[in-house]
Amino acid sequence: MESLRDVDPARIGAHALLARLGAGGMGQVYLGRSPGGRLVAVKVIRDEITGHPEALARFRREAETVRAVRSAYTANLIDASLAAPPFWLATEYVAGPTLGHAVAERGGLPADTCRRLFAALAEGLASVHAYGVTHRDLKPQNVILGAQGPQLIDFGIARGVGETALTQDGQAPGTPGYTAPEVLLGNEAGAAADVFALGATLAYAATGRAPFGTGAATSVSYRAVHEPIDVAGVEPGLAALIEACVAKDPAARPALAEVIGRCGVRDALIDDPVYLGLGALGEAVPVHEMRTQGPGLPYGYTPTQHAAAVPPRRGRTGVWVAAGLALAVVGAVAVWKLPLGGGGGADDDRAGAQGRNRNPSQSPAGHTPAGGNPSSGAPAAQAPAGPPAYIRQTAPNLDDYNPIHHACTRPAEEVGSLDFQAAMPRTTDDPQLRSGKVQISYRVKNALPDAPPYYVAVVVKPQREVDENGRSTETTDNRQLGFVAKARDLYEGDELEWKNVTYPDDFSMQLNGKTVKAPPLAQDPGGWTVVFRHATSDTEHKSFHCEGFDSGPQKG
């Protein structure tokens, strides 16, 4: 949640706007107050979507579904405007963290808590199914852990039994890793697909890991169709129930009533001490930051820009609120687990952090301050003498950001235990991208006193390779390293402060012994890849985080 900006209107419809909850794939979401004083979540569709019949149909479907389903497990529709732009809907505001956020912060939940949550979500899905509606996008980010129990949100691709599924760009609806095999294979899908998603969601809750691993969307989806779910370390009875729910054959999955029975719940979820503790990961509505006066904009109008590249700084003891919305909010800030002088594979925030929150004054378990492993007797890694001026290419760079899936196509080369955050604009409706400049910001979320230097070089790579004059070539399979900003120590000064670089001003590339200045974004419209690399010298550097942004319509 963040304060309103000067460009935000004072109200949408009859609702006074109080704060920004975030931005999703469909548009901006605000915290609002109804005329009678009730808190509401107001979702406003982006201007560019209003001309896209399929996307507009999704938004209308969402409003119609939320209006039709009157369940204790869903946020009720309060108001909507669907006849003419601007299109918006307002639902009850449900305070509390998402399951995805809570597990990422706390780690996997105990088996007993998972069973209670399993049963509550199964009951919620059964309630939705009773209205003839399947959710079709159940996942940890679409579950709000409310004070009275979990709430299901984001019915943007829900559909009634027998209706044709809406797809986008030829992609199956849903989220990779939580979408059932029959949906991915293009077959008819019903209530059993929600049971699959429920099992995958509880696998995440129990392990803190992505149920079918991380990586490119196609790879995750392939594993969901052909490979077993990851329930390593889960209590056997709970693991067996999860595995039954994610059976490849939908006919083999248990009905929701059977799921509830097998959970064997005998007390209320809200009496579970672990569940109660998760509620503390939300934050109170910032009344002192609310305003009721907006700019001189037409009544009911809302701009369609995403969250700022650099969110306001929050106290280290502060907490993050999850938007209790009719959609899962996708913010502009990504949180990754940063290595402390080590190397490894990839693990992102959506998959859940395997590491746990630690006392900021202590090093992560199993690591010395310089990255050595005391239990194995391995020598501590030597801190580099200083930051390399600019890193150089030593191998083909295969990092590639897909703006449709909002994901990179290959895993990171390093993984570890500290919280790393990155922020940048993502889509073409952001004023920064329209201006031709992109501010990329990063920091470590939690302080670690006496940490050795950790030099971070930011790399920005366009879709097409460039020549020595900085002009784009016809080579769209870009294997160049990309344009690089000077490396900086992540822990210099106050590591909790955001460090910023601006493209193209701070970026250049060494190509055949020549320094090539970064070209403007307009030279290569489309998806740009942003990679954060840990550099120990100008030729030794490994990626630990990858994302990107969309600078506009692609050529050709």
Side-chain angles (χ1 to χ4, degrees):
M1 185 182 300
E2 61 176 283
S3 301
L4 292 172
R5 303 176 192 168
D6 291 339
V7 295
D8 289 323
R11 57 200 313 114
I12 295 292
H15 307 287
L17 300 187
L18 308 176
R20 283 183 163 219
L21 292 174
M26 299 285 282
Q28 183 68 47
V29 186
Y30 295 96
L31 176 66
R33 186 182 65 239
S34 73
R38 186 174 189 176
L39 290 179
V40 294
V42 184
K43 176 181 179 180
V44 187
I45 195 170
R46 297 205 314 262
D47 288 342
E48 57 267 35
I49 290 180
T50 62
H52 193 299
E54 187 174 280
L56 186 56
R58 286 181 183 224
F59 187 75
R60 285 175 168 155
R61 178 192 295 274
E62 178 178 0
E64 292 164 0
T65 301
V66 177
R67 189 194 304 274
V69 176
R70 308 293 291 183
S71 168
Y73 294 93
T74 61
N76 291 324
L77 185 72
I78 303 297
D79 197 3
S81 176
L82 305 174
F87 301 102
W88 56 269
L89 63 83
T91 67
E92 294 175 296
Y93 173 72
V94 182
T98 65
L99 177 60
H101 173 74
V103 173
E105 288 290 309
R106 183 198 182 281
L109 307 179
D112 286 346
T113 302
C114 285
R115 283 192 178 87
R116 296 184 181 102
L117 183 60
F118 217 148
L121 289 175
E123 188 172 83
L125 282 175
S127 175
V128 171
H129 291 176
Y131 286 87
V133 172
T134 53
H135 189 286
R136 294 179 61 83
D137 198 20
L138 178 64
K139 56 186 176 181
Q141 292 80 6
N142 284 349
V143 175
I144 296 289
L145 304 180
Q148 300 303 314
Q151 297 275 306
L152 303 175
I153 61 172
D154 196 351
F155 285 83
I157 60 174
R159 67 189 182 104
V161 176
E163 293 180 0
T164 301
L166 291 170
T167 61
Q168 182 177 13
D169 301 316
Q171 302 296 318
T175 301
Y178 300 91
T179 304
E182 64 269 25
V183 178
L184 294 169
L185 296 174
N187 301 323
E188 282 298 315
D194 280 351
V195 175
F196 181 95
L198 175 63
T201 296
L202 264 294
Y204 169 82
T207 66
R209 302 186 298 269
F212 291 96
T214 61
T218 52
S219 299
V220 175
S221 295
Y222 177 88
R223 290 193 289 269
V225 173
H226 298 287
E227 297 179 8
I229 195 167
D230 175 12
V231 287
V234 178
E235 187 270 326
L238 178 60
L241 180 54
I242 291 172
E243 289 170 332
C245 288
V246 298
K248 307 304 182 186
D249 180 1
R253 297 172 201 152
L256 291 170
E258 181 182 343
V259 172
I260 295 170
R262 290 178 62 174
C263 288
V265 172
R266 289 178 170 79
D267 46 17
L269 175 63
I270 59 172
D271 291 332
D272 185 294
V274 174
Y275 184 85
L276 288 174
L278 297 176
L281 297 174
E283 69 180 354
V285 175
V287 179
H288 61 284
E289 295 180 356
M290 295 179 182
R291 68 175 176 86
T292 56
Q293 297 300 316
L297 299 176
Y299 180 85
Y301 171 82
T302 180
T304 55
Q305 64 185 59
H306 281 218
V310 182
R313 185 183 177 189
R314 305 172 191 271
R316 288 170 53 188
T317 58
V319 288
W320 297 76
V321 73
L325 317 172
L327 85 164
V329 170
V330 181
V333 180
V335 183
W336 279 60
K337 296 301 173 181
L338 180 71
L340 183 63
D347 204 2
D348 68 55
D349 187 50
R350 290 171 301 167
Q354 295 185 40
R356 304 290 182 264
N357 290 341
R358 298 181 173 88
N359 185 330
S361 65
Q362 298 174 344
S363 299
H367 289 278
T368 66
N373 188 332
S375 61
S376 66
Q382 295 298 315
Y390 289 93
I391 61 175
R392 296 188 288 121
Q393 182 159 3
T394 58
N397 181 10
L398 304 180
D399 294 311
D400 184 49
Y401 174 74
N402 186 318
I404 297 176
H405 296 129
H406 304 291
C408 293
T409 56
R410 75 163 183 162
E413 298 168 298
E414 281 193 349
V415 68
S417 301
L418 299 181
D419 289 331
F420 174 83
Q421 291 181 303
M424 68 193 70
R426 294 184 184 278
T427 56
T428 53
D429 59 1
D430 190 286
Q432 279 199 63
L433 288 173
R434 293 201 298 268
S435 75
K437 292 184 182 292
V438 177
Q439 181 171 279
I440 301 167
S441 306
Y442 61 95
R443 70 170 185 176
V444 63
K445 182 179 177 183
N446 296 310
L448 189 67
D450 302 321
Y454 190 93
Y455 296 115
V456 174
V458 183
V459 178
V460 175
K461 188 176 82 166
Q463 297 179 105
R464 303 168 190 265
E465 292 189 357
V466 299
D467 60 22
E468 294 179 5
N469 296 311
R471 294 191 294 262
S472 297
T473 69
E474 294 303 314
T475 305
T476 56
D477 183 18
N478 188 353
R479 302 297 181 93
Q480 291 176 333
L481 174 62
F483 296 92
V484 182
K486 186 175 181 179
R488 296 179 63 182
D489 179 12
L490 186 63
Y491 298 107
E492 70 181 14
D494 181 355
E495 62 263 43
L496 301 183
E497 294 286 355
W498 291 90
K499 296 172 176 61
N500 306 310
V501 291
T502 301
Y503 184 91
D505 300 358
D506 299 327
F507 289 79
S508 64
M509 179 195 297
Q510 295 297 316
L511 188 60
N512 299 326
K514 182 178 179 181
T515 299
V516 180
K517 292 184 178 180
L521 296 177
Q523 178 173 297
D524 194 0
W528 288 63
T529 305
V530 179
V531 181
F532 295 82
R533 303 187 73 90
H534 174 204
T536 54
S537 73
D538 62 339
T539 57
E540 296 181 0
H541 41 84
K542 293 182 178 181
S543 65
F544 63 87
H545 178 44
C546 174
E547 53 181 293
F549 56 84
D550 186 355
S551 67
Q554 298 185 18
K555 293 181 179 179

